[in-house]
Amino acid sequence: MLSDDTTTRFREALREHCAASGGSHDKVHGLVRTAADEARDRGISAEQFVIWLKQIWEELISEGVLPRTADAARMREVIISSAIKAYYVQ
């Protein structure tokens, strides 16, 4: 869906964020904006973009990188909200 480079960078930013117990917040949100721009440029719908984010999130949970906790769920919702805003606000 999105480029391998964007996907890899986003996954790594989430890993770093989790490993730093909430660090790299700006990096994650910066990559959300970059990914939103790429999605728009490729003609990917906002819904598909959100699905892409959720798939990455679930993969990282399955790999044991991200926890399945209430705090992590809140972080995911913040990231998704940020992604939707970034997609529609250029």
Side-chain angles (χ1 to χ4, degrees), residues 29 32-33 36 40 45-47 49-51 53-54 76-90:
H29 286 284
V32 165
R33 286 188 297 276
R40 254 193 333 276
S45 70
E47 294 83 3
F49 176 50
V50 170
I51 289 169
L53 289 168
K54 289 180 176 181
R76 182 181 105 153
E77 294 309 313
V78 167
I79 290 170
I80 290 171
S81 294
S82 175
I84 292 168
K85 289 176 189 171
Y87 185 90
Y88 286 112
V89 178
Q90 298 178 12

Side-chain angles (χ1 to χ4, degrees), residues 25-85:
H25 187 74
D26 290 340
K27 185 175 183 178
V28 170
H29 286 284
L31 284 168
V32 165
R33 286 188 297 276
T34 299
D37 291 343
E38 183 178 327
R40 254 193 333 276
D41 292 347
R42 289 180 175 226
I44 296 168
S45 70
E47 294 83 3
Q48 286 299 114
F49 176 50
V50 170
I51 289 169
W52 173 83
L53 289 168
K54 289 180 176 181
Q55 285 175 332
I56 290 173
W57 193 272
E58 289 302 317
E59 289 169 5
L60 292 173
I61 287 173
S62 295
E63 294 168 12
V65 174
L66 295 175
R68 192 176 296 274
T69 64
D71 286 342
R74 279 190 293 278
M75 186 175 90
R76 182 181 105 153
E77 294 309 313
V78 167
I79 290 170
I80 290 171
S81 294
S82 175
I84 292 168
K85 289 176 189 171

